Amino acid sequence: MGKVMLEVRDLKTKYVTRMKEDVYSVDGVSLTIEEGKSLGVAGESGCGKSTLALSLMGYYFAPLHYMSGDIIVDGQNISGMEPDYIRKHILGSEIAYIPQAAMNALNPTQKIIKFINNVIHVHDPSMSKGDIYDMARERFEKLGLPENVLQKHAVELSGGMKQRTVIAISTILSPKVLIADEPSSALDVTSQKMVIKMMKQLMHEGLVKSMIFITHELPLLYQVTDDIMVMYAGQIVEKGTAHEMVFDPIMPYTKGLMGSIIVPEDGMKANKLEAIPGTPPNLKHPPAGCRFAPRCKYATPECMVYAPPVKKPAPGREYRCLFEEKYLKELYANG
């Protein structure tokens, strides 16, 4: 087992609405990522993926609130730390975040190098502008970005170039953990390939020690990550290697996700497309039993009442369901 870069234990966070209602967006999430490894997080819109990304940084602001659990980055528990300390000493250097709307993250009135100056001065006010420029130029060139990008404004860059620039800035301090929230969304195919190549390069060259890659596309995670976990209604419902999750899913929700996606690769799609009926539950009032039960064609009356346990059929493999793996596979085989 390699060195653990990130360990999360039973993390629970919530949103508080204007009407003072609690929305339990991350409910008991646990995960571990080792150095040199990448973890994919998949699920439908509204399942809690982006909220999990925000929660993992330990930096909370309304309407998102920390409830309980531990977030341990390279042996340091950042849960409950003062926000100002986290901003200066944790974010960027220990754990970095690429937001879902990364192309809108750059200040349109500033040149890229000035934006970088502001970012680095938060962590090291003593660093000179010349040293910062040299550092930025070296990192940009290493990642295939021309030096002249540093002197441009965001509006002068294409969508793909903005995305790659944000990734370069987010990782300029070589964080232990990089959280990328839909980094290739809203891009054309060519730009997506360049972004994915860039993410792999960051890992390969050790510019980031570990990575969490969030998307709603399981097949994309298969190309990028070592392991995958699937979220549904704020909970992790299945974990496994990328190959296991794509080719041999256990939990009905994961099975449904794969059945509803068009996948060009041979062997990934043997049956016709089949949409998952219904919509995710309202997390103000989660279902008493299995949260997927109201949409699951295999659900029994017991599924509506009893919360399913987390089962671990093999090391590194787990799923949340009342049924045993063998029985589920028999159900799938019989349609």
Side-chain angles (χ1 to χ4, degrees):
M1 182 176 179
K3 183 179 181 181
V4 174
M5 287 291 101
L6 176 66
E7 182 179 4
V8 181
R9 303 172 186 160
D10 197 26
L11 180 63
K12 297 183 180 182
T13 64
K14 67 179 180 180
Y15 289 107
V16 179
T17 70
R18 293 180 180 178
M19 304 302 294
K20 304 302 180 183
E21 297 174 302
D22 293 334
V23 181
Y24 301 99
S25 49
V26 174
D27 192 0
V29 169
S30 297
L31 59 91
T32 300
I33 309 177
E34 298 174 12
E35 183 175 0
K37 297 293 184 180
S38 55
L39 172 68
V41 182
E44 294 171 284
S45 296
C47 71
K49 304 187 303 296
S50 293
T51 303
L52 175 62
L54 293 171
S55 300
L56 290 178
M57 294 186 293
Y59 189 70
Y60 300 93
F61 47 91
L64 181 62
H65 297 267
Y66 168 80
M67 294 175 64
S68 62
D70 297 312
I71 305 166
I72 303 168
V73 182
D74 195 20
Q76 183 178 16
N77 195 334
I78 66 173
S79 305
M81 283 185 174
E82 289 294 323
D84 190 56
Y85 181 88
I86 289 179
R87 186 174 66 88
K88 291 181 179 179
H89 301 285
I90 302 298
L91 299 183
S93 56
E94 298 296 305
I95 188 164
Y97 174 59
I98 301 171
Q100 189 167 4
M103 288 188 293
N104 299 322
L106 298 170
N107 188 331
T109 67
Q110 290 182 344
K111 290 184 177 181
I112 302 301
I113 187 58
K114 185 174 182 180
F115 188 88
I116 294 174
N117 278 326
N118 293 338
V119 169
I120 293 181
H121 272 148
V122 170
H123 298 275
D124 187 0
S126 65
M127 198 168 181
S128 70
K129 289 185 178 180
D131 287 341
I132 293 175
Y133 185 90
D134 290 341
M135 179 182 180
R137 173 179 51 77
E138 181 180 348
R139 177 56 59 90
F140 271 48
E141 290 178 349
K142 182 182 286 288
L143 295 176
L145 292 165
E147 180 182 351
N148 64 5
V149 171
L150 295 172
Q151 301 299 337
K152 293 182 180 290
H153 293 80
V155 294
E156 300 178 81
L157 305 178
S158 66
M161 186 64 80
K162 284 182 188 176
Q163 187 77 306
R164 293 162 62 203
T165 298
V166 169
I167 292 172
I169 295 173
S170 298
T171 59
I172 199 165
L173 296 174
S174 299
K176 307 290 178 55
V177 182
L178 174 64
I179 303 172
D181 191 0
E182 301 272 10
S184 61
S185 64
L187 297 176
D188 59 74
V189 174
T190 300
S191 296
Q192 284 183 344
K193 288 182 177 180
M194 294 179 73
V195 166
I196 297 304
K197 181 180 178 181
M198 189 176 189
M199 304 294 287
K200 289 183 175 181
Q201 182 182 354
L202 286 166
M203 288 289 295
H204 178 72
E205 297 191 11
L207 300 177
V208 300
K209 299 297 184 183
S210 62
M211 179 174 66
I212 296 178
F213 193 106
I214 297 173
T215 183
H216 60 279
E217 298 181 66
L218 268 171
L220 175 59
L221 294 179
Y222 176 75
Q223 302 293 334
V224 179
T225 63
D226 301 300
D227 302 296
I228 297 174
M229 67 182 195
V230 170
M231 284 193 76
Y232 183 76
Q235 297 180 331
I236 303 304
V237 295
E238 189 167 354
K239 288 182 190 176
T241 66
H243 187 275
E244 289 170 335
M245 296 293 283
V246 171
F247 291 100
D248 192 28
I250 300 174
M251 200 269 182
Y253 178 64
T254 310
K255 184 76 172 176
L257 279 183
M258 282 306 302
S260 61
I261 298 172
I262 295 176
V263 184
E265 286 86 349
D266 290 340
M268 282 191 179
K269 180 64 64 180
N271 303 312
K272 65 179 181 179
L273 291 176
E274 185 176 345
I276 302 174
T279 58
N282 185 336
L283 292 183
K284 295 179 190 175
H285 309 288
C290 174
R291 297 186 177 183
F292 184 58
R295 305 173 67 191
C296 180
K297 67 180 182 179
Y298 306 111
T300 65
E302 288 77 12
C303 296
M304 304 292 181
V305 178
Y306 301 106
V310 175
K311 298 180 178 179
K312 300 181 179 182
R317 191 82 163 104
E318 64 181 61
Y319 69 101
R320 189 186 295 265
C321 187
L322 288 178
F323 298 140
E324 297 298 326
E325 179 183 3
K326 181 179 178 180
Y327 179 67
L328 285 168
K329 296 296 177 63
E330 290 175 353
L331 288 176
Y332 301 153
N334 294 329

